[in-house]
């Protein structure tokens, strides 16, 4: 009998004493934060948090906006977030952050203080994307009526997820990867940028989604290059493509290739594998990028005979040159910015840790002199559902 | 010492109402005295019929024919007892010790005849519907079988219906029920023991098993447990079940019941014991294991689905036990676990609901359970009204009024539907009660509480035994052969053995090989 009661008592202790994420909160007391924007103020931050108005999202739909963006100013991020309660009836709940938008100004000064909070707080998960608001305050990006997907942060999230899979220049960076890149000595991070395309002042009004052609749109820009935790410059679209090919971030994209007789032809990449290696030869570090691409011909707008195997070899060669050009241009840019976003340092460390130890201190100075060998191998598999283009027949 | 223990002790001390068997009182030689005694014992009840007959022309030999109106078949009494007695010419009486012996051997046309020596046996014979013959000058009597109480005919099972399989159910008559089993198992090895239980009701209880397959230990244990029963009346097999089950306080059934003769037959063939109780169509099956409660006879009558439906039932078992509590736990403790879109949609539904999720869940479950309970006892014509009101209250009005969220209605409906997918009614009862317990755990400790509750439940289930057989076998203790017929349902020709723990000594069920392709095509 006594043993039984002891067992019950122990069970009770087990239930009551262990700690964990166990604070009970009803759904209707949560301020569901889906995104946060961080702008610089004179001596602190202005944090804007996008909180969902669930009722407006629901099937029945209300009249108000789907989200409310609240902003506060304080010296530190956590203070800002807690200070939100003076403006909001519900305490913000951070687990469902989709986007963190950092203004260009903040990112030029350094993002480390911001990231610490997000990685420390137990409520936040690490599966949101971090982007830089280019030429617009983060607040504007988050106070924007968006079409199709009503919640702007979710729209940004979805749009980045799809575009990084179907369009080479973008890449979604999540918290843990960003932190890893910042901490790592041989690799520097990149972040995608976002900006408001069109009339920024209308984006905040409902009018924006009442038009078939929205006056203001949230769109992604090519990659921003960071050095440690500071933004140092931007890649253009082609450089971003080169970067993503090298880093194996390309899943599916399209790229054009000039035809031999003028005009253009588009190749849809269905598989791509990028590999970065480092080596040390005669005391000199070398980088090597190897890219293997498989693709199909997706669009032909030139005179070309696709029934000839030779044409394919020719096209493959041209595509290889094209990609190689992109990669080289992005390497060039990164060398200019003195930021090893490709992770050559890391590759060299993996190849020769001792050597890396010697050079890691002045790697920033050495990086611009690094010799990089780029090899691209393109394989064309097919030409879609037709052979030669009808253009060929037309012009005969 | 806890209070309940004290109570149960006090109960033990109380003397049972004095209904002890009186010392045997032998029949007298004097017929008048005998009849008077019997009449008095029955308090001159008018359904005790006494017919006095003179056997011979000289009117010397007086006999009395006694039977209970209604219990005995009047026709049988007339044709097989009274008529032969009256028409008898006493021609061959010489060879017998007494004319009572003569009547027994040569006159009575009834099927079974029994000698009576004391009053008590006279009473039991009369009350079982037999006809009793007493005679002047002889301190003995004979009882002739003439039972004729009308009972319901064999009809379709109400609680356990199948699409394919026999549509036949046990009825209230013990004799018919036994016959239903005998008819299915044509083997002298189907043994039957009967005993009377209930000091006042003296209900007939029959134990049936197949000799050679049954586990002797179970049988012995059953006998000793039945011996311990001492109650005044047995109205349903549930009385016996509750008094002989293994665990005193467990809500889980360690004895199964069925009203289908085919299920009982299958149980017999597996080496289980069947307990039939007079007056109820529900027979007891023992020992029973947990996986058995999630089986349906149709699992075997149809071609194998390799366990698809079985696994579906296990899933619905978990759903009906845990769905509301998981919903409560996830929405109040672990919002980060949900997909953002789902969470927003749930949050939108919760908007403006005045109750916490737990109260909402309990409220809805409560309404559902009440509705179910009400529908169960309701007259059939009123049943539709209940359905309409229930559907309106549960589905429409509560949501429209903003008292509960649509998601909760969905959760409760899923729970309800899943609970009906559990074949055993007996198993639904504890699941239903435990659902509320799990909801409380979820509301106070989240998933952590559910996990702890689940572990406790699992420990409890594995600790249970049914007549010495581990309740969770063949899952725990694990038995590879048993897996052919637990979660999965292997083709029939592969299930060659009986359940290992239940029929320990005679395990081979069949040796048939599977279907074969013909050697040459026709």
């Amino acid at each position: 009998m006594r043993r039984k009661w002891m067992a019950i008592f122990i069970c009770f202790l087990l239930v009551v004493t262990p700690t964990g994420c166990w604070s009970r909160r009803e759904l209707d007391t949560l301020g569901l934060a889906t995104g946060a924007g961080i702008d610089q103020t004179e001596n602190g931050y202005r944090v804007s948090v996008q909180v969902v108005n669930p009722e407006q999202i629901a099937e029945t739909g209300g009249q108000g906006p789907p989200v409310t963006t609240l902003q506060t100013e304080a010296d530190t991020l956590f203070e800002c977030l807690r200070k939100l309660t003076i403006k909001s009836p519900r305490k913000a709940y951070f687990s469902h952050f989709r986007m963190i938008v950092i203004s260009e100004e903040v990112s030029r000064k350094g993002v480390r203080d911001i990231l610490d909070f997000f990685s420390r707080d137990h409520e936040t998960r690490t599966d949101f994307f971090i982007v830089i608001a280019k030429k617009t305050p983060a607040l504007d990006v988050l106070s924007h009526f968006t079409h199709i997907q009503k919640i702007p942060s979710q729209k940004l999230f979805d749009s980045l997820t799809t575009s990084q899979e179907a369009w080479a220049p973008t890449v979604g960076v999540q918290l843990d990867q960003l932190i890893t890149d910042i901490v790592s000595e041989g690799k520097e991070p990149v972040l995608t940028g976002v900006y408001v395309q069109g009339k920024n002042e209308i984006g905040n009004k409902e009018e924006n989604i009442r038009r078939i052609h929205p006056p203001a749109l949230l769109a992604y820009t090519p990659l921003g290059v960071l050095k440690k935790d500071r933004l140092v410059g931007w890649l253009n679209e082609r450089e971003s493509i080169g970067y993503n090919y090298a880093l194996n971030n390309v899943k599916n994209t399209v790229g054009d290739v000039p035809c031999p007789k003028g005009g253009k032809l588009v190749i849809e990449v269905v598989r791509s594998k990028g590999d970065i290696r480092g080596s040390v030869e005669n005391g000199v570090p070398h980088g090597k990028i190897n890219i293997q691409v498989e693709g199909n011909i997706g669009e032909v707008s030139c005179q070309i005979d696709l029934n000839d195997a030779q044409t394919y070899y020719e096209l493959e060669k041209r595509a290889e040159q094209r990609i190689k050009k992109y990669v080289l241009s992005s390497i060039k840019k990164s060398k200019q910015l003195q930021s090893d976003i490709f992770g050559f340092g890391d590759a060299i460390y993996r190849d020769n840790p001792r050597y890396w130890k010697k050079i890691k201190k002045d790697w920033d100075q050495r990086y611009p002199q690094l010799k990089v060998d780029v090899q691209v191998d393109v394989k064309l598999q097919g030409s879609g559902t037709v052979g030669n283009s009808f253009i060929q027949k037309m012009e005969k | 010492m806890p209070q309940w223990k004290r109570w149960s002790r006090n109960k033990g001390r109380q003397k049972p109402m004095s209904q002890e068997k009186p010392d045997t009182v032998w029949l007298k030689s004097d017929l008048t005295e005998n009849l008077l005694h019997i009449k008095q014992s029955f308090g001159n009840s008018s359904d005790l019929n006494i017919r006095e007959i003179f056997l011979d022309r000289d009117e010397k030999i007086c006999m009395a024919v006694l039977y209970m109106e209604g219990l005995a078949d009047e026709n049988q009494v007339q044709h097989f007892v009274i008529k032969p007695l009256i028409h008898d010419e006493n021609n061959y009486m010489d060879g017998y010790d007494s004319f009572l012996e003569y009547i027994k051997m040569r006159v009575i046309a009834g099927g079974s005849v029994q000698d009576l020596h004391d009053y008590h046996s006279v009473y039991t014979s009369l009350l079982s519907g037999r006809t009793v013959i007493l005679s002047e000058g002889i301190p003995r009597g004979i009882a002739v079988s003439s039972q004729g109480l009308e009972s319901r005919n064999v009809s379709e099972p109400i609680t356990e219906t199948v699409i394919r399989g026999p549509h036949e159910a046990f009825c209230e008559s013990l004799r018919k029920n036994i016959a239903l089993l005998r008819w299915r198992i044509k083997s002298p090895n189907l043994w039957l023991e009967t005993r009377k239980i209930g000091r006042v009701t003296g209900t007939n209880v029959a134990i049936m098993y197949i000799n050679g397959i049954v586990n002797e230990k179970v049988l012995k244990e059953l006998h000793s447990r039945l011996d311990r029963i001492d109650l005044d009346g047995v109205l349903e097999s549930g009385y016996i079940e509750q008094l002989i089950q293994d665990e005193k306080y467990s809500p889980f059934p360690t004895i199964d019941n069925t009203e289908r003769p085919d299920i009982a037959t299958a149980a017999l063939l597996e080496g289980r014991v069947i307990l039939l109780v007079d007056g109820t169509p529900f027979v007891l099956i023992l020992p029973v294991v947990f996986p058995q409660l999630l089986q349906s006879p149709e699992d075997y009558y149809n071609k194998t689905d390799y366990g698809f439906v079985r696994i579906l039932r296990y899933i619905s078992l978990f759903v009906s036990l845990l769905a509301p509590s998981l919903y409560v736990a996830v929405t109040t403790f672990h919002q980060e676990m949900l997909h953002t879109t789902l969470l927003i949609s749930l949050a939108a539904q919760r908007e403006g609901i005045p109750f916490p999720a737990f109260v909402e869940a309990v409220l809805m479950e409560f309404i559902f359970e009440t509705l179910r309970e009400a529908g169960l006892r309701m007259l059939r014509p009123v049943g539709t009204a209940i359905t309409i009101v229930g559907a309106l209250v549960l589905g429409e009005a509560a949501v429209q009024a903003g008292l509960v969220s649509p998601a909760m209605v969905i959760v409760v409906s899923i729970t309800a539907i899943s609970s009906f997918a559990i074949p055993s009614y007996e198993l639904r009862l504890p699941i239903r009660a435990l659902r509320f317990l799990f909801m409380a755990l979820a509301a106070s400790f989240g998933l952590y509480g559910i996990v702890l509750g689940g572990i406790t439940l699992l420990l409890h289930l594995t600790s249970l035994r049914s007549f010495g057989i581990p309740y969770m076998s063949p899952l725990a203790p694990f038995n590879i052969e048993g897996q052919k017929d637990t979660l999965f349902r292997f083709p029939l020709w592969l299930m060659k053995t009986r359940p290992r723990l239940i029929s320990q000594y005679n395990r081979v069920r069949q040796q048939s090989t599977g279907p074969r392709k013909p050697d040459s095509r026709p």
Side-chain angles (χ1 to χ4, degrees), chain B residues 31-41:
Chain B
L31 180 64
T32 336
E33 201 187 327
N34 278 340
L35 290 180
L36 200 68
H37 191 113
I38 293 169
K39 267 189 192 168
Q40 271 174 359
S41 302

Side-chain angles (χ1 to χ4, degrees), chain A residues 14 22 25 90 96 125, chain B residues 332-333 335-336 338 351 448:
Chain A
L14 272 177
W22 80 317
R25 287 178 77 184
R90 299 175 183 176
H96 285 273
R125 299 190 301 202
Chain B
T332 53
F333 285 88
Q335 292 95 352
E336 71 278 359
L338 290 171
E351 218 51 41
Y448 182 64

